[in-house]
Amino acid sequence: MAKGEMPRLKAENCMSCSICAQACPFGCLTLEVPEGSRDKRPLPLLVTPSCCTGCEICVKACPLNCLVMEVGK
Amino acid sequence: MKGYTGKILWVDLSEEKTWVEEIPEEVYTAYLSGVGLASYILYREIPAGADPLGPENVLAFVSGLLTGTGAVVMGRWMVATKSPLTGGWGDSNCGGTFSPAIKQCGYDGIFVKGLAGRPLYLLADHREARLLPAEDLWGLDAIETEETLMERHWEKKKPSVVSIGQAGEGVSLISGIVNDGGRIAARSGVGAVMGSKKLKAVVLKGTLPMGGQDPVAIHALSREFSDKIRRYSLPGLIKGSHVALGGRLLGLSPFNPSLDGLMFMPLMKKWGTSGTNGMAANMGDSPVKNWTGSIKDYNRPYVAAVDPDHIAGLEVRKYHCYSCVIGCGGICRIDDKTGGRYTYSHKPEYETVSSFSSLVMGKDLDAVYEINEMLNRAGMDTISAGHVCAWAIESFEKGLITTEDTDGLVLKWGDLQTIKALLEKMIRREGIGDLLADGVKLGSERIGRDSQALAMHCGGQEPAMHDSRLDPILGVIYSVDTTPGRHTTGSSLYYGLTKLWRQVSWAPRSGWHTKHSEYKASREEALKTLASVAYKQVVDGAGGCLFAMISGVQHYRVFDWLEAATGWGFSPDDYMHIGRRISTTKQLFNIKQGIDPLAAKMPDRMAGLPPLTQGPLKGRTVPVEAMIAEYFQVAGWDQGGCPKAETLEALGIDILEGGNRHGQG
């Protein structure tokens, strides 16, 4: 893990199963409906980036490979 | 990790203490986890004749073996107990986030016994479990309780909370246990058991990792299923009325087609279970007018009134249970529909819509939204409550009860405002509501005057919104399943969709066939029943979802997921053997508790005696006694429903040695 890396969602793969959010031991991820969403499906969102330790638990937990680690902006 | 933690948490409310029991691997290989593990523990722990509302009864909250392994649509939690409604095995199944939360505390289940001397709630994480006073929560509805406890205990990770509302506190025998803002494990009277124990809530906030033996294989299976779910969506131009028309054609057809269950998934994605409102009504699946009528009684205006597009129009967000890639749930904004009483609500399920529409001849979806939220908050089963109302209206119509009994309420078919008032009384146990809050069996017995004949129940449990005259195997399940009156254990429809014969050597093939052929007692229909029952135990042991299950074993690959998680080297037949073991253990539980396996036979009305004179089920009669006899035969149970000695030996139920088996000892 490079310093400052955080999970980024590849939304096109995500099926809103929330496995990632449940796996995160720090409660950093929550599921929210993106503004303007047509299908009203909630997607995982890093609500408090500062709480993310970059542990990658969420990335490994996601069965659909929707999360990748990237240096946060 | 093999999908299970090998530990359960015990809570004794009388002593206000907790401890951990380690469960040997052979219990999991014999019973899986989930409802199977519960059957093993409850058979062992609950003595014969225990009062369901007394200290000896055990209330089990269990997770599934595949929950948390990366397998998708495997997030159901289950409650099991001795049911105060039936006196026998009781369980209920619910989505939300509670199932992984149990495992993240390090347990496969939480087993609660004793009676608290004061209201308490359980707070647990992976380090400790504590009982805390709940006097300040007593009297709150389930959603208020959940919100209060969330605020109190949310530090880093959001806790998972299950609780009872006023119905459970009042020990209503038709009350359930609620989580995730109104999703409810509603059946078997599990809320009454929790209320009798004065356990207001369970709050879980563990953060332990979960997993199975081969995560790469598990994830690959999950991606395969998810890709199929993603691909199949309904185009926007398909409306609810089109689905209803499909139901009309199915109702008219002399054949039952062989369908790929995957075709139902777009319906679930778009509308959830309410997508079948019109279809079920048109094909004869929805019971009408307390099981006396048919869709012909009010036909098109009804189908238009319950059109799922009305509900979809109120949806502000989709709702997925933990690990679910289908997402049949949704949150609706209903303040305009409820005069501002409630702002948001889970969208009403098909069962709820039908309970307060076809069953009571209602056509007022706005009232259904309010009733749905009211009952979810109080923690009362909408199916059972709907049956109580239908019975009350028919009894009133026939003069068996009057306004003197109903505290002045004039009960009429379709009058949902009065039904709402009756339900309020039931929640508060006020006046006639006190008599009726324990379900239609006890309610009708309390009223007497021959009104029991109008009470539709199977051994005390009100049946679901699926007509046994449409689906004869369902009639067998309603009558003699270990949890009678339940629609989720098996049916002709589910069997055809799950396509078990593709993986299970002894499961008979079911292709296109005449409807007429289902109404015959035969070994083939009995084997379908047995396979449905056994497979549902496997799915409930895994933590799976009924709706994903009906997509078929070729898509929702439960056996393969179990193998990837455990590495046991079991075949589908081996897992079905476990399913039969679980079902038979539940039957032994009932016999130990003094239940006559034939006593819950569905009322004649539900079997089509006399048959309906119009509608899609016109002339249909289910030969239920003969079908039960065939089912017991293939299950290896005697004609009284007691498992035979050779069956117990073949199923290896010697693991229960030392327990009070088969009514002996």
Side-chain angles (χ1 to χ4, degrees):
Chain A
M1 181 193 81
K3 195 176 175 189
E5 277 191 342
M6 285 189 290
R8 183 183 66 80
L9 180 73
K10 294 188 281 184
E12 65 277 14
N13 291 354
C14 181
M15 300 283 283
S16 310
C17 73
S18 76
I19 286 177
C20 56
Q22 191 71 31
C24 174
F26 309 106
C28 303
L29 288 163
T30 189
L31 270 81
E32 301 283 348
V33 179
E35 208 167 305
S37 166
R38 284 183 60 201
D39 62 8
K40 301 169 191 165
R41 269 195 319 120
L43 296 172
L45 179 73
L46 200 57
V47 266
T48 45
S50 59
C51 86
C52 179
T53 64
C55 68
E56 298 188 41
I57 286 176
C58 56
V59 176
K60 290 174 185 157
C62 175
L64 310 185
N65 299 333
C66 300
L67 293 165
V68 289
M69 295 301 285
E70 282 184 355
V71 176
K73 294 173 185 169
Chain B
M1 268 192 247
K2 290 184 175 180
Y4 47 88
T5 68
K7 286 188 288 186
I8 60 172
L9 177 69
W10 274 103
V11 179
D12 186 332
L13 293 166
S14 301
E15 302 287 329
E16 294 196 16
K17 66 177 186 183
T18 65
W19 67 97
V20 175
E21 178 184 347
E22 297 205 357
I23 305 295
E25 178 163 24
E26 57 260 35
V27 173
Y28 295 96
T29 54
Y31 283 97
L32 304 176
S33 190
V35 85
L37 174 63
S39 74
Y40 169 77
I41 299 288
L42 266 55
Y43 182 86
R44 187 188 79 185
E45 291 292 326
I46 302 177
D51 177 359
L53 304 176
E56 292 176 324
N57 198 9
V58 177
L59 184 68
F61 300 91
V62 284
S63 181
L65 192 146
L66 289 172
T67 298
T69 61
V72 292
V73 210
M74 288 288 175
R76 306 291 289 186
W77 56 279
M78 290 141 280
V79 197
T81 192
K82 178 174 177 177
S83 167
L85 261 183
T86 66
W89 178 267
D91 60 40
S92 199
N93 181 306
C94 192
T97 56
F98 197 67
S99 186
I102 295 171
K103 277 189 163 170
Q104 287 180 296
C105 289
Y107 310 114
D108 294 314
I110 299 170
F111 291 74
V112 183
K113 62 181 177 182
L115 295 181
R118 58 185 176 139
L120 296 171
Y121 70 97
L122 175 71
L123 174 67
D125 62 16
H126 49 282
R127 291 177 291 262
E128 63 172 351
R130 287 186 291 155
L131 287 163
L132 297 168
E135 281 95 345
D136 60 321
L137 304 169
W138 207 254
L140 298 183
D141 71 37
I143 295 178
E144 291 166 340
T145 303
E146 184 177 318
E147 288 170 352
T148 304
L149 289 170
M150 283 277 188
E151 193 178 335
R152 191 177 296 172
H153 295 293
W154 191 343
E155 291 162 66
K156 288 181 179 172
K157 189 176 165 57
K158 184 180 178 183
S160 283
V161 179
V162 295
S163 68
I164 51 171
Q166 298 93 333
E169 288 180 8
V171 196
S172 157
L173 300 193
I174 56 171
S175 60
I177 301 172
V178 185
N179 88 143
D180 260 28
R183 297 190 80 82
I184 175 167
R187 310 244 67 199
S188 290
V190 295
V193 177
M194 192 159 163
S196 72
K197 293 185 178 305
K198 287 198 168 55
L199 181 66
K200 179 66 178 172
V202 178
V203 184
L204 301 181
K205 42 187 294 189
T207 57
L208 290 177
M210 306 170 280
Q213 183 165 282
D214 187 347
V216 174
I218 294 171
H219 285 191
L221 290 163
S222 292
R223 279 195 298 279
E224 180 191 303
F225 182 69
S226 303
D227 285 345
K228 290 177 180 178
I229 296 297
R230 184 186 286 116
R231 268 203 306 274
Y232 287 87
S233 290
L234 285 177
L237 54 87
I238 300 289
K239 304 295 180 195
S241 55
H242 298 130
V243 182
L245 178 63
R248 196 177 177 86
L249 297 174
L250 285 171
L252 290 170
S253 167
F255 298 100
N256 275 335
S258 175
L259 300 172
D260 189 320
L262 210 55
M263 67 178 284
F264 284 96
M265 299 305 117
L267 264 68
M268 300 302 283
K269 283 164 64 177
K270 184 164 184 172
W271 294 293
T273 55
S274 66
T276 61
N277 289 350
M279 179 173 78
N282 273 338
M283 65 193 282
D285 194 28
S286 309
V288 176
K289 207 178 182 185
N290 202 27
W291 297 74
T292 63
S294 83
I295 187 67
K296 292 271 186 189
D297 286 316
Y298 57 156
N299 220 350
R300 284 190 183 171
Y302 172 77
V303 173
V306 298
D307 190 319
D309 286 324
H310 297 316
I311 300 172
L314 302 178
E315 195 172 62
V316 292
R317 61 173 285 174
K318 292 283 183 190
Y319 170 92
H320 293 237
C321 296
Y322 168 76
S323 78
C324 179
V325 295
I326 302 168
C328 70
I331 304 297
C332 292
R333 181 150 194 160
I334 57 167
D335 44 357
D336 284 352
K337 305 293 181 186
T338 62
R341 182 178 179 187
Y342 303 118
T343 307
Y344 296 104
S345 179
H346 280 277
K347 63 184 173 193
E349 303 287 349
Y350 160 74
E351 298 292 334
T352 304
V353 172
S354 184
S355 295
F356 292 100
S357 297
S358 68
L359 193 67
V360 296
M361 299 289 284
K363 282 186 279 190
D364 181 358
L365 206 48
D366 288 1
V368 173
Y369 299 127
E370 187 170 353
I371 288 170
N372 181 51
E373 182 65 6
M374 189 171 89
L375 294 181
N376 285 349
R377 283 175 171 269
M380 186 175 274
D381 181 0
T382 54
I383 297 172
S384 293
H387 270 96
V388 169
C389 294
W391 163 86
I393 296 167
E394 190 179 352
S395 297
F396 194 94
E397 186 183 57
K398 290 187 158 66
L400 301 176
I401 58 174
T402 67
T403 49
E404 282 185 27
D405 302 296
T406 63
D407 313 320
L409 296 177
V410 177
L411 301 172
K412 287 183 293 200
W413 295 112
D415 178 2
L416 289 194
Q417 295 309 315
T418 309
I419 285 172
K420 206 163 62 185
L422 180 63
L423 292 168
E424 300 262 22
K425 285 175 175 291
M426 287 164 58
I427 292 167
R428 293 196 299 266
R429 280 196 171 278
E430 178 187 293
I432 190 174
D434 188 36
L435 297 178
L436 303 187
D438 297 319
V440 75
K441 176 175 184 280
L442 270 182
S444 64
E445 286 173 4
R446 287 167 180 160
I447 295 288
R449 303 169 213 166
D450 297 330
S451 68
Q452 294 98 319
L454 314 182
M456 294 300 108
H457 67 87
C458 303
Q461 177 71 77
E462 296 80 3
M465 293 300 111
H466 302 281
D467 202 312
S468 32
R469 292 164 294 196
L470 175 71
D471 194 318
I473 287 180
L474 184 60
V476 176
I477 298 291
Y478 278 160
S479 300
V480 293
D481 185 52
T482 51
T483 47
R486 300 277 290 279
H487 67 292
T488 49
T489 315
S491 71
S492 310
L493 175 69
Y494 296 162
Y495 183 78
L497 294 173
T498 50
K499 302 214 174 342
L500 278 167
W501 59 89
R502 293 191 178 189
Q503 295 194 8
V504 177
S505 66
W506 53 270
R509 193 176 184 286
S510 180
W512 279 73
H513 58 274
T514 62
K515 288 178 178 172
H516 185 67
S517 66
E518 292 184 359
Y519 294 79
K520 285 181 182 162
S522 68
R523 180 176 166 78
E524 185 173 319
E525 292 303 302
L527 280 171
K528 291 178 187 173
T529 310
L530 182 65
S532 297
V533 171
Y535 185 50
K536 187 61 168 55
Q537 309 313 307
V538 174
V539 171
D540 284 352
C545 170
L546 173 76
F547 303 134
M549 183 191 93
I550 62 169
S551 69
V553 289
Q554 73 278 30
H555 306 303
Y556 188 61
R557 292 169 58 182
V558 175
F559 300 125
D560 296 326
W561 263 311
L562 282 167
E563 268 307 289
T566 64
W568 287 336
F570 288 179
S571 67
D573 280 10
D574 294 331
Y575 285 108
M576 291 292 275
H577 197 67
I578 295 175
R580 288 188 60 194
R581 182 181 295 121
I582 296 169
S583 170
T584 300
T585 300
K586 287 157 74 173
Q587 186 76 342
L588 291 174
F589 177 94
N590 282 348
I591 291 165
K592 176 179 170 182
Q593 297 299 333
I595 295 290
D596 173 359
L598 290 167
K601 191 169 76 67
M602 62 181 172
D604 284 350
R605 191 183 280 184
M606 289 171 59
L609 289 167
L612 292 173
T613 55
Q614 60 173 359
L617 305 181
K618 178 182 173 183
R620 294 284 184 201
T621 301
V622 180
V624 68
E625 280 96 352
M627 291 183 77
I628 289 169
E630 292 279 356
Y631 170 58
F632 283 173
Q633 176 111 14
V634 299
W637 301 354
D638 67 24
Q639 286 305 296
C642 293
K644 296 175 184 172
E646 60 263 33
T647 306
L648 299 181
E649 193 179 344
L651 292 173
I653 296 190
D654 53 339
I655 197 167
L656 293 170
E657 282 299 334
N660 184 1
R661 190 172 79 192
H662 209 191
Q664 304 158 348

